[in-house]
Amino acid sequence: MQIANNTIVEIHYTLKNDAGETLDTSDGREPLAFLQGSGGIISGLETALEGKSPGDKLDVVVEPKDGYGEHQQAAVQQVPMSAFQGIENLQVGMQLQAQTERGTVPVMVTAIEDETVTIDANHALAGVRLHFAVCVENVREASAEEIAHGHVH
Ligand code: ZN
């Protein structure tokens, strides 16, 4: 069966950046399962998988706009150190939950100076060109319930 909208797809994948560093892989885990056409995975990968069948292997390069978006400078903010009282071992690379007008958003600490801390609310992979090596493991029709819910059961 071929991958099309409203099929349940299982893939194994390895994700690398331009430098060839592995960012994520399903190696040693269950395959990633998703409902094609539901936006459950990034659009660039969904598009590349359209029409593929079990056993197919493909290498896909996904530009940021079809992946996790461009890096938005507006999502980078400098916050006074005093706002971080009570957080132990504050360090670069730490993930925090920030309270904003839009609710709680995950942010990463990207710099620490004497009086200010820089936090970045961009997705960790925003602005990154993604190199996927994918193997299609299984394709089946989604149930009516899965289509209604928009996810795999
Ligand atoms: Zn459900």
Side-chain angles (χ1 to χ4, degrees):
M1 176 164 204
Q2 290 187 321
I3 297 173
N5 281 350
N6 296 331
T7 57
I8 300 294
V9 183
E10 293 182 32
I11 60 169
H12 271 301
Y13 68 94
T14 296
L15 168 61
K16 295 182 177 181
N17 61 14
D18 280 347
E21 296 164 333
T22 299
L23 304 175
D24 190 16
T25 179
S26 64
D27 245 17
R29 302 199 307 246
E30 293 290 304
L32 173 68
F34 57 91
L35 172 62
Q36 176 81 354
S38 70
I41 61 168
I42 57 171
S43 67
L45 197 51
E46 204 169 67
T47 302
L49 284 166
E50 191 76 23
K52 298 290 186 285
S53 306
D56 283 352
K57 291 182 163 65
L58 58 160
D59 292 310
V60 187
V61 179
V62 179
E63 297 296 328
K65 70 176 171 58
D66 300 317
Y68 293 97
E70 302 289 350
H71 188 269
Q72 310 274 349
Q73 197 54 38
V76 179
Q77 281 191 299
Q78 294 206 312
V79 180
M81 181 66 87
S82 58
F84 295 88
Q85 279 172 7
I87 296 176
E88 281 179 47
N89 300 323
L90 190 68
Q91 52 189 290
V92 171
M94 189 180 250
Q95 302 237 13
L96 302 169
Q97 301 294 323
Q99 313 296 330
T100 73
E101 293 153 6
R102 293 175 292 121
T104 304
V105 295
V107 300
M108 187 181 285
V109 176
T110 56
I112 301 175
E113 280 140 26
D114 290 345
E115 299 296 327
T116 59
V117 176
T118 305
I119 57 172
D120 188 343
N122 286 288
H123 190 282
L125 295 177
V128 176
R129 187 181 296 117
L130 307 168
H131 301 255
F132 284 97
V134 179
C135 182
V136 180
E137 300 292 327
N138 194 34
V139 183
R140 66 169 170 84
E141 274 187 65
S143 69
E145 197 182 16
E146 286 171 321
I147 293 168
H149 288 198
H151 57 235
V152 180
H153 284 173

